[in-house]
Amino acid sequence: MARGGHNKDRGDAERKCIVTGEVQPKAGLIRFVVGPDNQVVPDVLGKLPGRGMYVTADRKALEEAKKGQFSRAAKQAVTVPDGLVDEVERQLARRTVDLIALTRKSGRAVCGFEKVKGWLAGGERVRVLVQASDGSERGKTKLWTPEGARYFGCLTAAELGLAFGRQTVIHGALATGRLSDRVVEEATKLRGLREGNDSDTAVGKDKEAK
């Protein structure tokens, strides 16, 4: 087992993206399989049977894969359903929300500006700072990402609300732990679809600790 409770083999496993040809850790790729009806099916959880086809978690790469790369990778004619990329995004968003909800239920997450600020200022070991993509930029810049933590702004206020059992949430923080590491993995993929792989420069990601 790797540090943080992860299976080291799973985290270190690499696959080649069928679009870019780059070999990279599976954590940054979306897996697809061909179903019994020869239709391409997203396998966000990585558990469906069949030979996997991997695409970088980036909207442009996924759109490009629809133009023939799936058929070439599968070595057969396949059907790509309409809205495949949007479905991948929907599943990733739901997966991220569910993992944040599990983190909250385990007592390892808080929401609300004052509570999050208290964690950041009080020395709580924060692994993830999350802020709603549609929240006030002025309010979001008043919080900071601690050294060694990760920032994500790819979920909406309504989606974060679902994660924290409220109607809407703008600010949230997750403490260090295995669940938070899983949130990082899934949120990174979601960010690739919603913001692109240049999102490391998005607001908040690399804000200096205050």
Side-chain angles (χ1 to χ4, degrees), residues 67-133:
K67 300 178 181 180
Q69 278 85 343
F70 281 126
S71 292
R72 283 194 284 272
K75 298 181 180 179
Q76 66 180 80
V78 298
T79 301
V80 180
D82 293 336
L84 177 67
V85 180
D86 290 336
E87 176 60 18
V88 171
E89 179 184 332
R90 186 194 69 78
Q91 290 187 25
L92 283 174
R94 186 64 196 180
R95 177 67 175 159
T96 305
V97 166
D98 287 347
L99 286 170
I100 294 175
L102 287 173
T103 308
R104 171 183 64 84
K105 291 175 182 177
S106 71
R108 305 290 292 170
V110 295
C111 67
F113 181 86
E114 292 300 333
K115 287 186 177 180
V116 171
K117 184 178 180 180
W119 269 28
L120 296 175
E124 179 73 30
R125 294 187 63 190
V126 173
R127 178 72 172 97
V128 180
L129 172 65
V130 289
Q131 294 182 309
S133 57

Side-chain angles (χ1 to χ4, degrees), residues 17-197:
C17 172
I18 64 173
V19 174
T20 67
E22 295 179 355
V23 176
Q24 58 180 293
K26 288 171 64 177
L29 300 163
I30 307 296
R31 184 177 188 264
F32 295 85
V33 298
V34 178
D37 55 357
N38 292 329
Q39 181 167 280
V40 175
V41 179
D43 182 23
V44 169
L45 297 181
K47 295 182 178 180
L48 293 178
R51 182 175 179 273
M53 301 175 288
Y54 294 84
V55 182
T56 301
D58 176 82
R59 179 169 286 273
K60 290 181 180 179
L62 289 170
E63 293 288 356
E64 187 66 27
K66 296 162 52 180
K67 300 178 181 180
Q69 278 85 343
F70 281 126
S71 292
R72 283 194 284 272
K75 298 181 180 179
Q76 66 180 80
V78 298
T79 301
V80 180
D82 293 336
L84 177 67
V85 180
D86 290 336
E87 176 60 18
V88 171
E89 179 184 332
R90 186 194 69 78
Q91 290 187 25
L92 283 174
R94 186 64 196 180
R95 177 67 175 159
T96 305
V97 166
D98 287 347
L99 286 170
I100 294 175
L102 287 173
T103 308
R104 171 183 64 84
K105 291 175 182 177
S106 71
R108 305 290 292 170
V110 295
C111 67
F113 181 86
E114 292 300 333
K115 287 186 177 180
V116 171
K117 184 178 180 180
W119 269 28
L120 296 175
E124 179 73 30
R125 294 187 63 190
V126 173
R127 178 72 172 97
V128 180
L129 172 65
V130 289
Q131 294 182 309
S133 57
D134 50 350
S136 165
E137 293 302 321
R138 181 179 179 183
K140 289 191 288 186
T141 56
K142 293 180 180 179
L143 298 176
W144 61 95
T145 308
E147 183 178 358
R150 296 292 298 276
Y151 174 88
F152 293 101
C154 54
L155 290 168
T156 66
E159 288 170 333
L160 284 176
L162 284 174
F164 284 97
R166 300 187 179 187
Q167 186 172 358
T168 59
V169 165
I170 304 299
H171 315 280
L174 283 60
T176 56
R178 180 170 172 271
L179 281 171
S180 296
D181 289 342
R182 292 169 64 189
V183 170
V184 168
E185 185 174 314
E186 300 303 326
T188 298
K189 294 178 183 179
L190 178 63
R191 187 171 61 190
L193 267 70
R194 291 187 169 177
E195 301 175 8
N197 280 335

